[in-house]
Amino acid sequence: MTNPPMRAAIVPVTPLQQNCTILWCTATMKAAIVDPGGDIDKVQAALTHHGLTAEKILLTHGHIDHAGEAKPLAEALGVPIEGPHEADRFWLARLDEDGRNYGIRGVVFEPDRWLVEGDTVSIGDLNLDVYETPGHTPGHVIFHHAPSKFAQVGDVLFQGSIGRTDFPLGNHKQLIESIVTKLWPLGDDTSFIPGHGGASTFAHERQHNMFVSDRALAA
Ligand SMILES: [Zn+2]
Ligand SMILES: [Zn+2]
């Protein structure tokens, strides 16, 4: 597309270098901030830099590096928080405790809207589809913008790796199932931004990812 209706900018936040991602509608210049785990001054500077009006905060899951400062940012911007799925409520409830352990500010909250499979979240004129992708956490969701062939996948899939499953209620088998039954059907030509590290495409991961390549899963 020469003039894509959606654009994305990554702001790495927290000592864990989490990819807080600003997604915006180029027609309205309205933006959603996905996973503002911390460093909200940097996030707000990026909004200003791109000339954007914040419309909402979206969360893929409840981990500290993704959700730690969602509440203070929501209050500063006067916007609602949507996501993750309610099964991650216990993660959001321990953000202050986890924050102390990681040396990151964590503020406990409940989102304005819990998300479920089949939900749509809007950003300006854009609509993104919500998929439930448990495994890394039980309430993890991803956001897909079909016209852009783009997905924001949090800690489900990374360039060359997959999410950890050694946390409470993590489940490796479930994570693989989420990748194979929710991500791959969106199409090989889907590009994605993960929660950490560089962007990639599903085609690249199906060929090269040692955990979920077609060859690895056939073995
Ligand atoms: Zn995580
Ligand atoms: Zn993470």
Side-chain angles (χ1 to χ4, degrees):
M1 265 180 287
T2 50
N3 197 4
M6 189 183 79
R7 283 195 61 197
I10 295 173
V11 183
V13 298
T14 81
L16 299 170
Q17 292 293 288
Q18 197 276 119
N19 289 331
C20 172
T21 303
I22 300 173
L23 300 176
W24 71 92
C25 164
T26 54
T28 61
M29 295 303 271
K30 287 185 177 166
I33 301 107
V34 187
D35 291 354
D39 297 318
I40 54 176
D41 49 332
K42 278 168 65 182
V43 175
Q44 287 181 282
L47 289 168
T48 304
H49 173 77
H50 293 287
L52 302 171
T53 304
E55 190 178 29
K56 63 184 63 178
I57 289 169
L58 298 174
L59 296 178
T60 60
H61 65 297
H63 278 164
I64 181 76
D65 51 328
H66 297 254
E69 289 196 325
K71 185 64 177 175
L73 182 61
E75 282 169 355
L77 298 172
V79 298
I81 302 173
E82 301 185 10
H85 183 279
E86 202 172 349
D88 265 18
R89 174 181 263 143
F90 75 105
W91 280 115
L92 298 178
R94 51 181 270 188
L95 283 172
D96 55 347
E97 190 185 323
D98 286 340
R100 279 194 295 277
N101 293 335
Y102 282 95
I104 303 171
R105 179 159 77 133
V107 180
V108 170
F109 69 96
E110 293 240 335
D112 299 276
R113 178 189 179 195
W114 296 108
L115 296 173
V116 297
E117 180 95 5
D119 273 349
T120 299
V121 294
S122 61
I123 307 171
D125 294 343
L126 311 175
N127 289 306
L128 282 69
D129 301 311
V130 175
Y131 293 88
E132 292 175 13
T133 52
H136 175 67
T137 68
H140 199 299
V141 297
I142 63 152
F143 304 104
H144 180 238
H145 187 238
S148 306
K149 298 181 186 297
F150 170 84
Q152 186 80 32
V153 304
D155 287 355
V156 171
L157 176 71
F158 303 112
Q159 186 188 103
S161 190
I162 58 173
R164 285 172 61 174
T165 51
D166 56 334
F167 296 114
L169 298 184
N171 184 316
H172 179 78
K173 190 166 166 274
Q174 209 175 29
L175 180 67
I176 302 291
E177 200 173 285
S178 288
I179 293 169
V180 172
T181 67
K182 302 293 179 69
L183 270 53
W184 290 173
L186 301 178
D188 276 358
D189 52 353
T190 304
S191 60
F192 70 93
I193 293 178
H196 306 263
S200 181
T201 65
F202 291 167
H204 184 87
E205 300 312 310
R206 289 188 70 161
Q207 199 164 15
H208 301 290
N209 190 306
M210 65 183 283
F211 299 95
V212 288
S213 68
D214 292 352
R215 198 155 21 118
L217 293 177

